[in-house]
């Protein structure tokens, strides 16, 4: 079976609809057809400062949400990144193959470091895409289900795999991005030109899976919409309405065309009201299941530890081979 790998950061108290529709929904589907490795990437979550207690709790909540939306430990390997030390061990080697200029061109680094003030942003934020490449290459992943914002990082992972292979002999599978266009960039409700983001959207711009549906309804009602009153799908002239239609379509399973014809003669308010209801129906059972996983943290931790063991069984041999190829001393 082909392999997939993907990860998500525990950088907020909840995942948002962009995370779910752009990535995690595909993780759930791919666990049936692929040998799937999914990771709560807590190492990635400390690049911009954090509170240790909050991080630990968010990692658990992240894992609970992934289980609640349908990841099944019998069908995939779900684990927390910091429990598999091979990720950082390979990252060093890959970092030495990455050009300074090459890393400097990563647009996510440029955006995030600018927001933090360039002088204050961490070296970890800079080398983040190198650690991400290690995450992926350790598992010899063929495909990586992610949102559009990760395309450039994926390109770097591919380049690093090819570079290592040509310098030291064929070691890594070159991973392909798995980006499903229709929902690859869910936008911020308050700024339809920006992606919905855990760390940089304003609270009003995000619909969180774990948020009170009444609060989400209010956010959807206040979403920035476009001039005119017709409900049509056009990402250039009507980015706000198109984003709402995209979310509506993905959550309800109804086609965009079907929705557009159903709303002929109706207004933005009608669409928003109905979308809020679709969101409420979608998140309610997810919230219940998330809570029930969190009710038994010992059981959850046990499940994650078992996942980490399964992950290490794949990651450790890859690292061993890579270290040998590089010319490091044999393991003791
Ligand atoms: P942060 O702001 O902390 O980077 P994030 O919202 O970007 O958080 P990540 O944990 O970095 O979330 O990304 C997890 C997955 O969700 C990635 O595959 C990413 O491409 C995807 N993703 C994030 N935001 C969106 C979005 N708005 N639309 C579609 N996919 C998204
Ligand atoms: Mg991100």
């Amino acid at each position: 079976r082909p392999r997939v790998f993907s990860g998500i950061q525990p950088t907020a108290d909840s995942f948002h609809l962009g995370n779910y529709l752009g990535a995690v929904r595909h993780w759930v589907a791919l666990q049936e057809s692929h040998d799937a490795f999914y990771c709560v990437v807590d190492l990635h979550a400390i690049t911009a400062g954090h509170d240790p207690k909050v991080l630990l709790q968010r990692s658990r909540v992240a894992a609970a949400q992934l289980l609640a939306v349908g990841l099944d430990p019998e069908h995939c390997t779900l684990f927390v990144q910091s429990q598999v030390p091979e990720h950082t061990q390979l990252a060093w080697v890959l970092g030495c193959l990455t050009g300074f200029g090459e890393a400097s061109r990563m647009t996510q680094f440029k955006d995030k470091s600018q927001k933090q003030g360039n002088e204050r942003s961490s070296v970890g934020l800079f080398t983040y895409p190198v650690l991400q490449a290690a995450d992926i290459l350790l598992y010899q992943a063929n495909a990586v289900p992610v949102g559009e914002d990760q395309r450039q990082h994926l390109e770097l992972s591919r380049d690093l795999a090819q570079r290592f292979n040509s310098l030291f002999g064929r070691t890594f599978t070159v991973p392909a991005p798995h980006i499903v266009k229709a929902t690859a960039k869910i936008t911020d409700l308050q700024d339809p030109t920006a992606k919905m983001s855990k760390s940089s959207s304003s609270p009003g711009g995000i619909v969180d899976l774990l948020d009170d549906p009444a609060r989400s309804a209010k956010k959807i009602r206040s979403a920035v919409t476009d001039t005119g009153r017709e409900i049509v799908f056009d990402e250039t002239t009507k980015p706000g309405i198109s984003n709402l239609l995209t979310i509506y379509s993905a959550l309800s399973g109804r086609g965009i065309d079907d929705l557009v014809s159903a709303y002929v003669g109706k207004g933005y308010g009608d669409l928003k009201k109905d979308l809020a209801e679709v969101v409420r129906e979608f998140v309610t059972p997810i919230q219940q299941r998330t809570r029930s996983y969190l009710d038994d943290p010992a059981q959850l931790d046990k499940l994650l530890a078992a996942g980490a063991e399964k992950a290490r069984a794949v990651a450790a041999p890859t690292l061993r081979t890579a270290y040998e190829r590089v010319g490091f001393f044999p393991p003791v």
Side-chain angles (χ1 to χ4, degrees):
R1 300 217 303 174
R3 284 261 171 81
V4 287
F5 174 91
S6 198
I8 188 157
Q9 301 188 71
T11 37
D13 296 328
S14 171
F15 297 152
H16 55 69
L17 283 178
N19 299 137
Y20 177 73
L21 295 176
V24 175
R25 181 170 66 125
H26 307 304
W27 300 12
V28 177
L30 290 164
Q31 68 181 339
E32 305 306 333
S33 51
H34 286 64
D35 190 15
F37 290 82
Y38 300 128
C39 187
V40 174
V41 290
D42 55 349
L43 299 173
H44 286 283
I46 65 166
T47 55
H50 74 287
D51 175 321
K53 280 206 192 72
V54 172
L55 178 65
L56 194 64
Q57 177 59 13
R58 284 178 171 177
S59 292
R60 288 204 180 93
V61 177
Q65 279 176 100
L66 292 174
L67 294 164
V69 299
L71 289 190
D72 176 354
E74 305 277 311
H75 291 242
C76 70
T77 302
L78 173 63
F79 66 103
V80 176
Q81 187 185 28
S82 59
Q83 289 193 313
V84 181
E86 285 80 4
H87 291 241
T88 43
Q89 293 176 286
L90 181 61
W92 174 258
V93 175
L94 297 178
C96 295
L97 299 184
T98 309
F100 189 85
E102 190 176 29
S104 308
R105 283 191 291 276
M106 295 294 125
T107 56
Q108 182 175 294
F109 170 71
K110 287 195 271 189
D111 292 347
K112 289 193 175 182
S113 61
Q114 198 171 28
K115 264 180 206 123
Q116 287 166 25
N118 291 326
E119 279 299 310
R120 283 178 46 237
S121 61
S122 72
V123 172
L125 184 68
F126 185 64
T127 58
Y128 178 116
V130 174
L131 178 59
Q132 183 174 340
D135 299 340
I136 296 164
L137 301 188
L138 273 178
Y139 299 93
Q140 309 286 10
N142 304 95
V144 185
V146 286
E148 180 61 40
D149 63 309
Q150 292 302 317
R151 189 182 289 280
Q152 192 187 30
H153 288 167
L154 245 295
E155 199 50 49
L156 179 69
S157 294
R158 290 170 58 82
D159 289 345
L160 289 173
Q162 277 157 350
R163 202 169 297 160
F164 188 103
N165 288 348
S166 66
L167 284 168
F168 303 117
R170 172 131 185 61
T171 305
F172 296 117
T173 302
V174 180
H178 177 95
I179 298 174
V180 180
K181 199 169 171 292
T183 51
K185 184 184 174 186
I186 300 298
T187 61
D188 184 315
L189 298 187
Q190 289 299 317
D191 177 6
T193 60
K195 88 167 190 87
M196 191 180 281
S197 151
K198 278 190 246 105
S199 60
S200 60
S201 291
S202 69
I206 307 181
V207 177
D208 277 334
L209 296 188
L210 300 184
D211 208 354
D212 173 8
R215 222 169 83 105
S216 297
K218 215 164 140 187
K219 292 182 185 181
I220 291 167
R221 236 179 2 251
S222 326
V224 169
T225 39
D226 319 294
T227 51
R229 20 199 325 207
E230 233 189 320
I231 294 171
V232 288
F233 188 86
D234 183 333
E235 286 170 307
T236 345
T237 60
K238 294 210 171 220
I241 284 296
S242 299
N243 190 43
L244 298 182
L245 284 168
T246 297
I247 296 171
Y248 196 151
S249 167
L251 291 182
S252 66
R254 292 172 67 182
I256 299 269
D257 292 345
D258 174 27
L259 290 173
V260 168
S261 34
Y263 282 91
V264 170
K266 296 185 179 172
Y268 291 170
D270 301 308
L271 177 76
K272 287 173 165 181
K273 190 165 138 283
D274 295 346
L275 174 58
E277 186 53 24
V278 167
V279 167
R280 193 186 62 76
E281 275 172 25
F282 177 72
V283 300
T284 303
I286 291 173
Q287 294 182 359
Q288 280 161 359
R289 287 196 292 269
T290 302
R291 273 196 299 273
S292 77
Y293 283 110
L294 291 171
D295 277 345
D296 193 350
Q299 177 60 28
L300 184 63
D301 289 7
K302 220 170 101 185
L303 187 153
L304 292 169
E309 260 184 65
K310 272 169 71 188
R312 285 198 86 177
V314 175
T318 310
L319 182 76
R320 215 175 302 127
T321 307
Y323 269 28
E324 200 181 294
R325 299 262 157 91
V326 167
F328 290 157
F329 251 52
V332 284

